[in-house]
Amino acid sequence: QVQVVESGGGLVQPGGSLRLSCAASRIAFSITSMAWYRQAPGKQRELVARITSGRLTNNADSVKGRFTITRDNAKNTVYLQLHSLKPEDTAVYYCNTDQQDYSWGQGTQVTVSS
């Protein structure tokens, strides 16, 4: 069973930055489209950013111009760089395939607050 481990979250002030990492245990990682999701308290989980095996990316409108998704296939890792963070970005961030094929990890908490 494929496992993912997210890390890199924390408490940051509005306007700050963070870099999230997600390590996946899967031999075919390099051919898998990956995505970051987030779930805020009381809300449904939502797609934040997606990256294909060919490194094409697309982001949710709410994070365009502020978040960047990248991947390192040699390390089976996908990253999410967060800039210009806002309080409404506060959530638990998860990674998975863009089809949500993997088991969900524990996520990493991002809290944006002054």
Side-chain angles (χ1 to χ4, degrees), residues 28-29 50 52-54 59 66 68 108-109 111:
F29 176 85
R50 174 180 177 267
T52 69
S53 58
N59 290 1
R66 300 190 298 121
T68 302
T108 187
Q109 175 71 49
T111 302

Side-chain angles (χ1 to χ4, degrees), residues 33-95:
S33 292
M34 295 296 296
W36 281 94
Y37 303 81
R38 68 185 180 186
Q39 187 167 20
K43 296 187 177 181
Q44 289 189 332
R45 188 175 290 161
E46 63 175 353
L47 177 68
V48 175
R50 174 180 177 267
I51 185 167
T52 69
S53 58
R55 292 184 167 81
L56 295 176
T57 65
N58 60 279
N59 290 1
D61 288 342
S62 59
V63 305
K64 280 183 178 176
R66 300 190 298 121
F67 292 6
T68 302
I69 186 171
T70 58
R71 65 190 299 160
D72 184 339
N73 290 336
K75 297 181 179 179
N76 277 20
T77 300
V78 61
Y79 303 97
L80 187 67
Q81 182 71 53
L82 292 67
H83 290 299
S84 302
L85 282 161
K86 305 175 181 180
E88 52 263 42
D89 295 318
T90 295
V92 179
Y93 285 70
Y94 303 87
C95 74

Side-chain angles (χ1 to χ4, degrees), residues 10-35:
L11 173 63
V12 62
Q13 292 185 342
S17 299
L18 284 172
R19 188 194 194 203
L20 308 183
S21 300
C22 168
S25 61
R26 182 181 174 96
I27 295 174
F29 176 85
S30 65
I31 63 172
T32 302
S33 292
M34 295 296 296

